[in-house]
Amino acid sequence: MKKSPTPPFITVVIERMTPLLDGGRYPVKRRVGEDLVVEADVFKDGHDVLSVVLQWRREGSKTWAETPMRPLDNDRWTGVCSLYENAVYEYTVQAWGDTFRSWQAEYVKKFDAGLQDLLSEILEGCALVEAAAARARSTPDAVQLFDIAEKIRKGAPAEVRKIACWSELEALMAAWPDRSLATRHEPFGRVRTDRERAACASWYEFFPRSAGGEGDRGSTFRQCLPRVDDAKAMGFDVIYFPPIHPIGISKRKGANNSVTCEPGEPGVPYAIGNRHQGCPNGGGHKDVAPELGTIGDFEWLVAEIHKRGMEVALDFALNCSPDHPFVHDHPEWFYKRPDGTIKYAENPPKKYEDIYPLNFSNPDWRRLWDAMTDIILFWCACGVRIFRVDNPHTKPVAFWEDLIGKVQAQYPDAVFLSEAFTRPKMMRVLAKAGFTQSYTYFTWRNSKHELTEYFTELTRTEMREYFRANLWPNTPDILPTFLQHGGRPAFLIRAMLAATLSPLWGIYSGFELCENDAMPGREEYWQSEKYQFKARDWNAPGNIKEFITRLNTARRDNRALHEYANLNFQHAESDHVLCYSRSTPARDNLLFAVVNLDPFHTHTAHVHVPLEEFGLGGEDTYQVHDLISDERFLWQGRRNYVELDPHSCPAHLFRIRRWVGREQDLDAFQ
Amino acid sequence: MKKSPTPPFITVVIERMTPLLDGGRYPVKRRVGEDLVVEADVFKDGHDVLSVVLQWRREGSKTWAETPMRPLDNDRWTGVCSLYENAVYEYTVQAWGDTFRSWQAEYVKKFDAGLQDLLSEILEGCALVEAAAARARSTPDAVQLFDIAEKIRKGAPAEVRKIACWSELEALMAAWPDRSLATRHEPFGRVRTDRERAACASWYEFFPRSAGGEGDRGSTFRQCLPRVDDAKAMGFDVIYFPPIHPIGISKRKGANNSVTCEPGEPGVPYAIGNRHQGCPNGGGHKDVAPELGTIGDFEWLVAEIHKRGMEVALDFALNCSPDHPFVHDHPEWFYKRPDGTIKYAENPPKKYEDIYPLNFSNPDWRRLWDAMTDIILFWCACGVRIFRVDNPHTKPVAFWEDLIGKVQAQYPDAVFLSEAFTRPKMMRVLAKAGFTQSYTYFTWRNSKHELTEYFTELTRTEMREYFRANLWPNTPDILPTFLQHGGRPAFLIRAMLAATLSPLWGIYSGFELCENDAMPGREEYWQSEKYQFKARDWNAPGNIKEFITRLNTARRDNRALHEYANLNFQHAESDHVLCYSRSTPARDNLLFAVVNLDPFHTHTAHVHVPLEEFGLGGEDTYQVHDLISDERFLWQGRRNYVELDPHSCPAHLFRIRRWVGREQDLDAFQ
């Protein structure tokens, strides 16, 4: 008989492998070192015992690592692997009918049923062990397997029953399985493992020209360190700069977004120019505004920030002012009118004459796309690894997939934050296509119902696999109504929520000063520093820097706040009080947050502590340690009372400490 | 500027296309003429107006048919097509940014906002229409489009606004769209459209040798017509025969599954032999048992059944007795012992020495698989198109996918019923891999809770797309406890449920006689005709043939009972009363079923009529016409009273007739 070939058909049905994003089209996201739990439906015809393994490898590698999977209920199997490199991996499930374990099960059944003539069965077992020995070739295992085969051949039925179930034989047979009829799930799953700060960070955004806080002139890169040090003191670890590039001259806008610009007005950093002002690098996106300094100055600032254990995030805003070098060098990259002139941006009837939008589908699109990638690579070479992308939803999703893929192939530690405030499905697909983190609707979710519903969607649906919410209570473009009217308590509430509902949050500077002057009837800042110099006292009375510092300290010290999908809403007997818990899988870090969502009034509530999640018995006494006020209370059982005055402090962030000492030693809470 | 090529990137995001089974791996199922509704998330960057179409074609064809899709909420689009051939189709969604409609929307916005200088916009519109004219080449449309372009070029802004929105221009532009930047969803969806009887049929199973109902000898094919005519009179349209092939001699089993067989015992038709008994075709699966007649006799019987507007279903049981010709001709297709002998079937400690199982993964598997396909093709050539497959779950799923695919490539009207009573995921994947219909757990679902839960799974989950439940209250292998103990009322109840919960149902003969003698403690028949001749009076007193006839008549006359997923459970104020409705999409056939599930006691209940589904107002009076008893009642409003005595009739099958005449004319219900 000819040697059995691997049959080109699927011998084992492997279905519903999870996670699997759009059939493997997009990778799911994990942090380096984080577990990846994979499940699948696995079954086959007949009564064979199945062997099922989870396999994974770095994309591009030919060798699979593997670990056994175990059966759950109803033909569902589960396995887990840990991924330690900042890379893209692929994973799959492989399964086969295990001839040895099938033989073992059948032999035991027959022997135990008292069947006498087992000679044929014994010879079958012997042949299976010999075949494994042959696969083991010249290893020591082969010798041992041949030995055992011989014992089976000569053994009495009762002795063979013992040998068949000998754990050492089981291990040897598992080490040299016959996979000639194995099936592997396709498509493979993909997972991108990002570094820690891609998943857990506190961002502080400021305009370099505003660092000095003077109303009549801007500061430079070299003057930014006090602001950086202040942010560091508040516990932030990412410093995010709006665009630092030369600002367009043509059609430059004035204060409060005026279409006319007075002499000396600094312009909007989002209108990127200009090739005329003697910019050291010729202007455009690979240059810095001369009023901020030189690229050398910027690199110095980056290095200083790195010295402090922090990182820099740059804004990537694909806006070209009419004097951007692309307009001169690549007019074919823009939209044109019938008369051959380049179109400015419009949202009829509004005109944005200071901006020329790029046409990402123009016939020369490939060169345009590559030029965009080159911009990011340029700043990576300057030491930047984090990019906040402005309005990605107005460019093709395929473009971002291309750009982020190419950048991360060279810089796997590059992080991209999607600033897409648009329709939900577009926000999601940008995250699937490569964005590491995303802005969210959090900025406008204030009520208990809104917050619960939205964060349930973020952390309980498939979104948890690929969409990392970076929560911002404000941005230079958005001063929400809640902050405009709620006063200082509103800022405390929103800081608490942003800092504890996700491992990623950020504020736009001025938030810590409770700045809330708005354009009338708009959710925009009055006298926004986007358009002008801004005078500020960075330590103005009434600031909430101390509160923010405590939040960031709690975030740093509590691993439960470093995870994303561990958010569990808990019952509070008041519509104004939001309650949620976060725990580590090992239950060694347990947090319980209580927030009064009403910035105007004190509210009281009985809140329900999730005793099961915290590993507490129904009558246990435990300590709740407020990481904001540093107060400690003894609570007992599920239902406990809170009272929160928004004018002093609208939130508790309790660390739960279970009692571990003797009764007379009340401090013995871990 | 060079001509714009089709860019090799995805310009429009098209996601979550439904239905899509396992990423297009398997086809969904529809009936010929049935609508296929396709939905997808479709969106793109920026503000372009989208054009989205549903496209479909027969698998293998290069030309797509298409129909526009329309937007639902939140970037979801929907479209519908009707498929008229008994074939496999593929379908997908194509979308593109519609330059003309985007221009139209922007032009109208600007004009209505009072913008004065619209010359550039007018020239753009003109260019778009000229481009469409160029695409229309030498058609009359081209002439008309060039005309309109000229009018736009010369038009005043107000006139151009009118032309831009002229419906004729819209139609012309839609007929000649610019799809150079169109994206098509991949993978494509697949749909198999089956003929009517694949989705809606009433099966009657009998052993040809039992047609005469005599205890000492079997009947032949030529003696089967009275049984066929009786089944036809009861309203059945598929006659299903257990295996008709030569029965093995070696290890033949006797009455009540005895391992010893007395001389003259007819043997089990599921142990297929034999090449020794002078079988005309050499025995095996392409032959008929000589005691039933010749292949010619069988073909005569098939023709007679076809003349009656009915069809034949054959059993495909891949069991070989030791004297099957394969054992002699292809010993390598079977499992072997170390001593070279062929293994019989076992389920330790039980032995089935009359059956040799085939090894579908043997090195010569390709020839074995093809031989199996040849068997089906042989019977197709004899006029058979329906195959009930015995125990498909003990053979590889890939084998069935291969076999059914090859058979249906030649005979698209071939129908396969999966007799897999096994774990749920295996039952499902067999349906996905090609089986047209499937046996179900219905046979053991008796309580209101069980029935509601199971049929909700069948008709409300993704299973509705591919799994067609064929409901059997009994089979030659299964006499459920409910029938054993519930007497005649139990048979009425199960017939009612099977006939009205799915468009596919069947009974194994003897059911209509309420036969319920079981092996003690088993769900099997005592003195089963599987093993022996069986004496029967086919019109024995107490039979329920009249009841079955009324059910099948109601099924024939009511299109609401021809559909599968239109089942809606309704509230009945009793745990013993099950209530459900079925309606056609046009609401021109409305059925309301009420069943007392307790075979022992009368139950009363208020039942809730789904007025909305039936298009009735809250106070409307309507007629309910019981298609079983032929009684008519006037009901009003939602809540109505029923009383069901299982000993007379445990069910109502109401056709709802809305009043359409004047008040004095009480018969005017449609």
Side-chain angles (χ1 to χ4, degrees):
Chain A
M1 197 189 294
K2 64 184 170 174
K3 202 170 160 248
S4 168
T6 302
F9 63 87
I10 291 165
T11 56
V12 182
V13 179
I14 309 177
E15 294 189 323
R16 288 209 309 140
M17 184 174 83
T18 55
L20 187 69
L21 216 48
D22 292 17
R25 166 87 176 76
Y26 300 110
V28 298
K29 296 189 174 83
R30 291 293 184 275
R31 281 180 304 165
V32 166
E34 193 179 5
D35 285 349
L36 174 71
V37 176
V38 176
E39 292 189 5
D41 293 346
V42 187
F43 52 95
K44 117 180 248 308
D45 51 290
H47 302 284
D48 291 344
V49 177
L50 282 178
S51 278
V52 185
V53 295
L54 166 61
Q55 299 187 316
W56 69 96
R57 63 185 178 189
R58 279 190 60 158
E59 226 167 39
S61 159
K62 298 213 165 157
T63 328
W64 294 100
E66 71 176 38
T67 186
M69 297 179 76
R70 65 183 174 80
L72 300 168
D73 195 23
N74 189 15
D75 293 325
R76 189 98 183 136
W77 292 68
T78 187
V80 58
C81 62
S82 302
L83 305 169
Y84 290 104
E85 287 178 80
N86 181 190
V88 178
Y89 291 83
E90 52 193 10
Y91 55 88
T92 186
V93 172
Q94 193 188 47
W96 61 93
D98 187 317
T99 46
F100 173 74
R101 284 166 59 219
S102 302
W103 170 82
Q104 180 193 55
E106 196 173 307
Y107 185 88
V108 167
K109 232 187 206 173
K110 287 180 178 175
F111 181 87
D112 293 355
L115 265 63
Q116 297 301 318
D117 178 13
L118 291 171
L119 180 60
S120 184
E121 284 75 7
I122 288 172
L123 291 177
E124 266 180 45
C126 175
L128 289 170
V129 177
E130 278 175 350
R135 286 190 292 274
R137 290 222 184 92
S138 47
T139 67
D141 286 356
V143 179
Q144 211 181 339
L145 281 163
F146 276 122
D147 264 10
I148 297 172
E150 214 40 41
K151 277 186 195 139
I152 292 175
R153 185 193 314 280
K154 294 177 183 158
E159 197 182 345
V160 172
R161 191 196 181 291
K162 262 187 222 161
I163 299 171
C165 299
W166 188 33
S167 62
E168 188 135 354
L169 176 58
E170 284 174 342
L172 282 165
M173 292 303 288
W176 301 101
D178 174 9
R179 300 202 199 183
S180 59
L181 294 182
T183 292
R184 193 175 271 145
H185 184 276
E186 290 190 23
F188 301 153
R190 297 168 64 215
V191 54
R192 196 186 141 75
T193 46
D194 289 305
R195 62 198 177 98
E196 181 69 15
R197 199 166 269 161
C200 177
S202 307
W203 290 43
Y204 183 80
E205 172 178 11
F206 76 90
F207 286 72
R209 74 182 179 200
S210 301
E214 291 171 284
D216 54 349
R217 63 202 145 108
S219 38
T220 67
F221 290 134
R222 294 270 171 183
Q223 294 169 309
C224 282
L225 278 190
R227 196 87 298 278
V228 169
D229 285 328
D230 202 23
K232 181 174 167 57
M234 283 188 274
F236 292 101
D237 46 21
V238 173
I239 298 293
Y240 153 39
F241 295 134
I244 56 171
H245 314 301
I247 297 172
I249 307 289
S250 327
K251 307 281 180 182
R252 175 179 284 199
K253 293 197 166 178
N256 285 314
N257 205 14
S258 157
V259 291
T260 55
C261 178
E262 302 302 315
E265 287 199 276
V268 185
Y270 286 90
I272 291 154
N274 70 57
R275 59 187 206 91
H276 302 296
Q277 294 287 309
C279 296
N281 249 1
H285 285 76
K286 288 189 191 172
D287 208 343
V288 294
E291 61 270 26
L292 294 175
T294 64
I295 292 197
D297 292 337
F298 176 71
E299 288 176 320
W300 166 84
L301 179 57
V302 170
E304 285 295 323
I305 291 171
H306 286 178
K307 272 188 207 162
R308 286 159 173 79
M310 306 164 80
E311 271 191 75
V312 173
L314 276 193
D315 212 316
F316 189 47
L318 289 177
N319 303 325
C320 298
S321 89
D323 49 26
H324 191 286
F326 285 166
V327 176
H328 180 266
D329 300 343
H330 300 283
E332 70 279 12
W333 289 356
F334 296 87
Y335 292 96
K336 296 224 181 115
R337 289 197 196 76
D339 67 1
T341 58
I342 294 179
K343 284 187 173 186
Y344 47 77
E346 290 182 273
N347 186 10
K350 285 197 224 163
K351 302 175 181 185
Y352 303 97
E353 294 179 69
D354 57 333
I355 303 281
Y356 286 176
L358 288 156
N359 176 359
F360 285 84
S361 312
N362 82 77
D364 194 38
W365 63 273
R366 185 69 264 168
R367 284 213 296 157
L368 167 62
W369 291 23
D370 290 343
M372 301 293 113
T373 305
D374 280 347
I375 293 169
I376 299 289
L377 294 175
F378 175 88
W379 293 107
C380 284
C382 294
V384 180
R385 287 293 183 282
I386 308 185
F387 301 90
R388 176 272 197 192
V389 176
D390 190 66
N391 282 331
H393 56 289
T394 59
K395 291 92 191 170
V397 176
F399 161 70
W400 294 117
E401 195 172 12
D402 182 75
L403 178 145
I404 295 173
K406 282 175 176 158
V407 170
Q408 291 183 335
Q410 284 192 53
Y411 298 97
D413 54 345
V415 167
F416 292 84
L417 166 60
S418 159
E419 188 249 12
F421 290 114
T422 182
R423 290 176 300 177
K425 288 171 185 172
M426 175 56 91
M427 291 174 66
R428 283 186 215 145
V429 79
L430 288 165
K432 289 197 278 191
F435 279 94
T436 322
Q437 313 172 358
S438 308
Y439 281 69
T440 69
Y441 303 138
F442 165 75
T443 310
W444 300 275
R445 296 291 180 271
N446 297 303
S447 74
K448 182 169 175 173
H449 173 73
E450 286 167 351
L451 287 162
T452 307
E453 185 178 63
Y454 187 50
F455 281 86
T456 299
E457 180 189 345
L458 290 173
T459 63
R460 285 283 173 277
T461 68
E462 196 184 50
M463 284 181 82
R464 68 195 275 169
E465 301 289 355
Y466 62 86
F467 188 100
R468 292 197 188 100
N470 192 332
L471 306 182
W472 291 74
N474 72 329
T475 78
D477 301 313
I478 310 165
L479 174 64
T481 314
F482 189 84
L483 295 180
Q484 291 182 29
H485 302 302
R488 187 175 182 275
F491 286 79
L492 297 175
I493 291 167
R494 299 301 292 175
M496 168 69 188
L497 292 171
T500 60
L501 282 169
S502 168
L504 293 165
W505 82 304
I507 60 168
Y508 155 56
S509 53
F511 179 88
E512 71 272 35
L513 308 179
C514 305
E515 291 178 355
N516 63 355
D517 276 353
M519 304 256 284
R522 307 285 294 272
E523 290 203 317
E524 287 173 47
Y525 282 92
W526 177 245
Q527 296 188 330
S528 164
E529 61 185 315
K530 282 203 294 187
Y531 310 106
Q532 64 183 75
F533 299 125
K534 196 167 175 87
R536 271 199 189 100
D537 172 4
W538 289 112
N539 293 300
N543 75 65
I544 61 167
K545 290 163 76 171
E546 173 66 20
F547 184 81
I548 290 171
T549 307
R550 286 176 181 265
L551 286 176
N552 278 333
T553 304
R555 285 166 53 85
R556 187 195 63 206
D557 295 344
N558 289 276
R559 284 175 302 102
L561 295 176
H562 301 186
E563 300 196 16
Y564 186 76
N566 65 344
L567 176 66
N568 293 309
F569 288 102
Q570 305 299 344
H571 184 49
E573 297 170 14
S574 161
D575 277 348
H576 299 285
V577 177
L578 184 72
C579 224
Y580 45 97
S581 58
R582 305 193 92 109
S583 310
T584 51
R587 287 185 187 166
D588 52 1
N589 185 232
L590 313 173
L591 292 182
F592 188 68
V594 188
V595 190
N596 174 2
L597 299 173
D598 178 354
F600 303 108
H601 304 102
T602 296
H603 288 279
T604 65
H606 277 91
V607 295
H608 291 222
V609 177
L611 301 177
E612 303 74 15
E613 178 181 334
F614 293 159
L616 294 166
E619 300 303 316
D620 285 2
T621 297
Y622 48 93
Q623 194 191 70
V624 296
H625 173 197
D626 189 342
L627 303 176
I628 298 171
S629 69
D630 204 29
E631 289 177 305
R632 293 164 195 249
F633 308 91
L634 286 184
W635 278 10
Q636 195 189 17
R638 186 178 304 279
R639 198 162 166 273
N640 289 277
Y641 178 83
V642 296
E643 173 172 343
L644 291 162
D645 174 359
H647 296 284
S648 56
C649 182
H652 293 303
L653 178 57
F654 288 128
R655 173 148 182 209
I656 307 293
R657 297 173 189 270
R658 286 175 295 202
W659 182 78
V660 292
R662 291 158 307 163
E663 269 182 51
Q664 60 267 45
D665 179 9
L666 278 178
D667 273 342
F669 289 91
Q670 74 171 0
Chain B
M1 195 189 293
K2 64 184 170 177
K3 200 168 163 250
S4 167
T6 302
F9 63 87
I10 291 167
T11 55
V12 182
V13 179
I14 308 177
E15 292 191 325
R16 289 210 308 138
M17 185 175 80
T18 57
L20 188 69
L21 216 48
D22 293 19
R25 166 86 175 78
Y26 300 110
V28 299
K29 295 188 175 87
R30 291 292 183 276
R31 281 182 301 165
V32 166
E34 194 180 4
D35 285 349
L36 174 71
V37 177
V38 175
E39 293 188 7
D41 293 347
V42 186
F43 52 94
K44 123 178 244 309
D45 50 290
H47 301 286
D48 290 344
V49 177
L50 281 180
S51 278
V52 185
V53 294
L54 166 62
Q55 300 187 316
W56 69 97
R57 63 183 179 191
R58 280 190 60 158
E59 225 166 42
S61 159
K62 298 211 164 157
T63 328
W64 294 99
E66 72 176 38
T67 186
M69 297 179 75
R70 65 185 174 80
L72 300 168
D73 195 24
N74 191 15
D75 292 325
R76 189 99 182 134
W77 292 67
T78 188
V80 59
C81 62
S82 302
L83 306 170
Y84 290 104
E85 287 177 79
N86 181 193
V88 179
Y89 290 83
E90 51 193 11
Y91 54 89
T92 187
V93 171
Q94 194 189 47
W96 61 93
D98 187 318
T99 45
F100 173 72
R101 284 166 59 218
S102 302
W103 170 82
Q104 180 193 55
E106 198 174 305
Y107 186 88
V108 167
K109 232 185 207 173
K110 287 180 179 173
F111 181 87
D112 293 354
L115 266 63
Q116 296 301 319
D117 178 14
L118 293 171
L119 179 60
S120 184
E121 285 74 7
I122 287 171
L123 291 177
E124 265 181 46
C126 175
L128 289 170
V129 176
E130 278 175 350
R135 286 191 292 275
R137 288 218 187 92
S138 47
T139 67
D141 286 358
V143 179
Q144 211 181 340
L145 283 162
F146 275 122
D147 263 10
I148 297 172
E150 214 39 44
K151 277 185 194 138
I152 293 175
R153 185 193 314 280
K154 295 176 182 159
E159 195 182 345
V160 172
R161 192 198 180 292
K162 263 188 221 158
I163 299 172
C165 299
W166 188 33
S167 61
E168 188 136 353
L169 176 58
E170 285 175 342
L172 283 165
M173 293 303 289
W176 301 102
D178 174 10
R179 301 201 198 183
S180 59
L181 294 181
T183 292
R184 193 175 271 144
H185 183 276
E186 290 188 25
F188 301 153
R190 296 168 66 215
V191 54
R192 197 188 140 74
T193 44
D194 289 305
R195 62 197 176 100
E196 182 68 15
R197 199 166 269 159
C200 177
S202 308
W203 291 42
Y204 184 79
E205 172 178 11
F206 75 91
F207 287 70
R209 74 181 180 202
S210 302
E214 290 172 282
D216 55 350
R217 65 200 145 108
S219 38
T220 67
F221 290 135
R222 294 272 172 184
Q223 294 169 309
C224 281
L225 278 191
R227 196 87 298 281
V228 169
D229 285 329
D230 202 23
K232 181 172 168 57
M234 282 188 276
F236 292 102
D237 47 20
V238 173
I239 298 294
Y240 153 38
F241 296 132
I244 57 171
H245 314 300
I247 298 172
I249 306 290
S250 327
K251 307 279 184 183
R252 175 179 283 198
K253 292 197 167 177
N256 285 314
N257 206 14
S258 158
V259 291
T260 56
C261 177
E262 303 302 315
E265 287 201 272
V268 184
Y270 286 89
I272 291 154
N274 73 54
R275 59 188 204 89
H276 300 298
Q277 293 288 309
C279 295
N281 249 2
H285 284 76
K286 289 190 193 171
D287 207 344
V288 293
E291 60 271 27
L292 294 175
T294 64
I295 292 197
D297 292 337
F298 176 71
E299 288 177 321
W300 166 85
L301 178 56
V302 170
E304 285 294 323
I305 290 170
H306 286 179
K307 272 188 208 163
R308 285 160 174 77
M310 306 166 81
E311 270 191 77
V312 173
L314 278 192
D315 211 318
F316 188 47
L318 289 176
N319 302 325
C320 299
S321 90
D323 47 27
H324 190 287
F326 285 166
V327 177
H328 181 266
D329 300 342
H330 299 284
E332 70 279 12
W333 289 356
F334 296 87
Y335 292 96
K336 296 224 181 117
R337 291 198 195 75
D339 67 1
T341 58
I342 294 179
K343 284 188 173 186
Y344 48 77
E346 290 182 275
N347 186 11
K350 284 198 227 163
K351 301 175 179 182
Y352 303 97
E353 294 180 68
D354 57 334
I355 303 280
Y356 286 176
L358 288 156
N359 176 359
F360 284 85
S361 312
N362 81 78
D364 194 37
W365 62 273
R366 186 67 264 170
R367 284 213 295 157
L368 166 62
W369 292 24
D370 290 341
M372 301 293 113
T373 305
D374 281 346
I375 293 170
I376 300 288
L377 293 176
F378 175 87
W379 293 106
C380 284
C382 294
V384 179
R385 287 292 183 285
I386 309 184
F387 300 90
R388 176 272 198 192
V389 176
D390 192 66
N391 281 330
H393 56 288
T394 59
K395 291 92 191 168
V397 175
F399 161 69
W400 294 118
E401 196 173 10
D402 181 75
L403 178 145
I404 295 173
K406 282 176 177 158
V407 171
Q408 290 183 335
Q410 284 193 50
Y411 298 97
D413 54 345
V415 167
F416 292 84
L417 166 60
S418 159
E419 189 250 9
F421 290 114
T422 183
R423 290 176 301 179
K425 287 171 184 171
M426 175 57 91
M427 291 174 65
R428 283 186 217 148
V429 79
L430 287 165
K432 289 197 277 191
F435 280 94
T436 322
Q437 313 172 359
S438 307
Y439 280 69
T440 70
Y441 303 138
F442 164 75
T443 311
W444 300 276
R445 297 292 179 272
N446 297 302
S447 74
K448 182 169 174 172
H449 173 72
E450 286 167 349
L451 287 162
T452 307
E453 185 178 64
Y454 187 50
F455 280 86
T456 298
E457 181 190 344
L458 290 174
T459 63
R460 285 282 173 278
T461 69
E462 195 184 52
M463 284 182 82
R464 68 195 273 168
E465 302 288 354
Y466 63 85
F467 188 98
R468 292 197 188 100
N470 192 332
L471 308 181
W472 291 73
N474 73 328
T475 78
D477 300 314
I478 310 164
L479 175 63
T481 314
F482 189 83
L483 295 181
Q484 291 181 30
H485 301 303
R488 187 174 180 277
F491 285 79
L492 296 175
I493 291 166
R494 299 301 292 174
M496 167 71 188
L497 293 171
T500 60
L501 282 169
S502 169
L504 292 165
W505 82 303
I507 61 168
Y508 154 56
S509 53
F511 180 87
E512 70 273 35
L513 309 178
C514 304
E515 289 177 356
N516 65 353
D517 275 355
M519 304 256 285
R522 307 284 295 275
E523 292 201 318
E524 287 173 47
Y525 282 92
W526 176 245
Q527 296 189 327
S528 164
E529 61 185 314
K530 283 203 294 187
Y531 311 105
Q532 63 184 73
F533 299 124
K534 197 166 175 87
R536 269 198 189 103
D537 172 3
W538 289 111
N539 292 301
N543 75 65
I544 60 166
K545 290 163 76 172
E546 173 66 21
F547 184 80
I548 290 171
T549 307
R550 286 176 181 265
L551 287 175
N552 278 334
T553 304
R555 285 166 53 84
R556 187 195 61 203
D557 296 344
N558 289 276
R559 284 175 302 104
L561 295 176
H562 301 187
E563 300 196 16
Y564 186 76
N566 65 344
L567 176 68
N568 292 311
F569 287 103
Q570 305 299 342
H571 185 47
E573 297 172 14
S574 161
D575 278 348
H576 299 285
V577 176
L578 184 73
C579 225
Y580 45 98
S581 58
R582 305 194 92 109
S583 311
T584 51
R587 287 187 187 165
D588 52 0
N589 185 233
L590 313 173
L591 293 181
F592 188 67
V594 188
V595 190
N596 174 2
L597 300 172
D598 177 355
F600 303 108
H601 303 101
T602 297
H603 287 280
T604 64
H606 278 91
V607 295
H608 291 222
V609 177
L611 301 178
E612 304 74 15
E613 179 182 332
F614 294 159
L616 293 167
E619 300 303 317
D620 286 1
T621 297
Y622 48 95
Q623 194 190 68
V624 296
H625 173 198
D626 189 341
L627 303 177
I628 299 171
S629 68
D630 204 30
E631 289 177 304
R632 292 163 194 251
F633 308 93
L634 285 185
W635 278 10
Q636 194 189 18
R638 187 178 305 278
R639 200 163 166 270
N640 290 277
Y641 178 82
V642 295
E643 175 171 343
L644 291 163
D645 174 359
H647 295 283
S648 55
C649 180
H652 294 304
L653 177 57
F654 289 128
R655 172 145 182 212
I656 306 293
R657 296 173 190 270
R658 288 175 294 200
W659 182 79
V660 291
R662 290 159 305 162
E663 268 182 52
Q664 60 265 45
D665 179 8
L666 279 178
D667 271 341
F669 290 91
Q670 73 173 0

